[in-house]
Every structure is written in C-alpha cells, then in structure tokens.
C-alpha cells in the first residue's frame, strides 16, 4: 500500500494553523487532523481513561505523552480513507517527534512542514479574542503564557530539526487569512499532491 502523505502544520498558539487548514481543505484534497482537537474530543469522550490527564496538560500548556496523541492521529488517518493529510499542531516536542518516527516511519512520509510564523503579541491578541467565544479552557492569559513558553522551548527545536532537513516552508502569518493563504497556495501548488 502507498504511504500516506503528511504535511505538518506548526506555529504558535493563535498563528492561524486551524484557519489556514480550513482554507486548504476547501481548495485541495487534504484531510485536516488537528492534534489539539483530537485531544479535546478524547477528553470529552465518555469512558476515556485519559480525560483528566489531557485536561491537566491543556490547562498547563504542556504536551500530552505521544502514545496518546499519536494513536488518536493514527486511528483518524485510517478511518478517513484518505491519502493526504494536514496534521495540525503536531509534533510539538521531541517526545512527539520520536513517537511519530517510531510508529509512522513505515506508513507515512512527511512531505512538508508549513510553519506559520507570527509575532507573539499578535498571537496573544488573537487567542484572547477567540477566548471570548471558543469556550477553550486555555484561551486565557495564564494558560497562554505557558503555551508560549512550551512553543518557544519545545516546538521551535522541532521546526529547526525539519529546517535542517530542508522541509520547512516559512509563512508570514501576521497578514489577513486570505493574504496568508495566497502564500500557502504557492507551496501546495508546487507540491502537487
Ligand atoms: O493546537 P492547540 O492549540 O489546539 O493545542 C491545545 C493544547 O493541546 C496544547 O497547548 C497542548 O496542551 C495540547 N496538545 C498536545 N500535543 C499536541 C497538540 C496539542 O499536548 N501535539
Ligand atoms: Mg488549532
């Protein structure tokens, strides 16, 4: 069986990963899987043994162990019947990266990393704004500080890892969604998946 094609979608909280993935799905044949959304779903699932552990990490802005996140991703990939995936918000740290490589090396190829690079003050404004309606337990100043800390300390090294492999497309994410998407289209059109 042919391997899955994967684009990782990374960037700080509020950088616009989900917004851009929604636009991509409308225009290209990709299945969007948000690691954060899958974890929030698992947290809500009746009978989940991981609910409390996940909520603890989400509030603290820390990263859930990869065994949980990667198996949610793997199952969603299998269930979708698709071949091309946008995996949004993963891998967030070295544990995520190592776990992915171990579990997915034979079944998926990382074709590109879309890195949405956005200034911290813009990210904070967007998340606090989203917090008015999102109902998310982590769109508040206290959790945001921790999420930004995790991003700078644990996620940036992962982006650097993929830069060294020449797999990163650096996108300027402070512009309007449509303007950012114009740049995204150039990357995807070149990839031709
Ligand atoms: O990507 P998103 O902002 O939705 O992620 C929300 C939270 O979900 C993160 O701050 C983190 O606590 C958790 N998460 C995780 N591992 C991932 C993605 C998200 O632990 N790979
Ligand atoms: Mg998101």
């Amino acid at each position: 069986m042919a391997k899955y094609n994967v684009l990782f979608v990374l960037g700080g909280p509020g950088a616009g990963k989900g917004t851009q993935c929604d636009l991509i799905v409308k225009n290209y044949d990709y299945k969007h899987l948000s690691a954060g959304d899958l974890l929030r779903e698992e947290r809500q699932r009746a009978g989940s043994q991981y609910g409390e552990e996940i909520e603890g990490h989400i509030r603290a802005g820390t990263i859930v162990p990869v065994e949980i996140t990667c198996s949610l991703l793997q199952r969603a990939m299998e269930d979708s019947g698709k071949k091309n995936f946008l995996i949004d918000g993963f891998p967030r740290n070295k544990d995520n990266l190592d776990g992915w490589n171990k579990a997915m090396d034979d079944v998926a190829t990382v074709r590109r990393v879309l890195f949405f690079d956005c200034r911290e003050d813009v990210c904070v404004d967007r998340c606090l704004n989203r917090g008015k309606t999102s109902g998310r337990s982590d769109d508040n100043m206290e959790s945001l500080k921790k999420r930004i800390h995790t991003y700078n300390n644990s996620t940036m090294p992962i982006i650097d890892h993929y830069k060294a492999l020449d797999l990163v497309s650096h996108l300027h994410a402070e512009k309007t969604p449509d303007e950012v998407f114009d740049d995204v289209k150039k990357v995807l059109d070149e990839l031709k998946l």
Side-chain angles (χ1 to χ4, degrees), residues 92-99 154 158:
R92 283 274 234 290
N93 66 3
K94 191 166 184 308
D95 175 60
N96 276 188
L97 176 67
D98 292 345
S154 304
I158 304 306

Side-chain angles (χ1 to χ4, degrees), residues 36 39-40 57-58 62-64 89-90 92 96 136 147:
L39 288 167
R40 283 183 285 271
H57 282 290
I58 287 179
T62 50
I63 305 302
V64 173
F90 183 97
R92 283 274 234 290
N96 276 188
R136 279 180 55 160
R147 290 160 70 194

Side-chain angles (χ1 to χ4, degrees), residues 9-14 17 34-40 54-66 69-70 73 87-93 96 127 130 136 138-139 143 146-148 150:
V9 179
L10 294 174
K17 303 182 292 291
S34 156
D37 286 349
L38 288 170
L39 288 167
R40 283 183 285 271
I54 291 172
E55 176 58 12
H57 282 290
I58 287 179
R59 267 182 202 275
T62 50
I63 305 302
V64 173
V66 69
T69 315
C70 200
L73 286 168
I87 299 192
D88 157 7
F90 183 97
R92 283 274 234 290
N93 66 3
N96 276 188
C127 288
R130 178 174 66 187
R136 279 180 55 160
D138 61 349
D139 280 341
S143 290
K146 297 171 184 163
R147 290 160 70 194
I148 289 167
T150 299

Side-chain angles (χ1 to χ4, degrees), residues 10 15 21 32 47 53 69-70 80 95 103 110 148 153 155-156 158 182:
L10 294 174
C21 286
H32 173 209
E53 184 177 359
T69 315
C70 200
S80 75
D95 175 60
V110 180
I148 289 167
N153 289 278
T155 310
M156 278 313 293
I158 304 306
D182 280 337

Side-chain angles (χ1 to χ4, degrees), residues 23-24 49 54 78 85 128 142 148 165 173:
L23 289 169
I24 293 170
Q49 54 178 318
I54 291 172
E78 285 160 11
F85 296 91
L128 291 180
E142 199 188 333
I148 289 167
L165 298 174

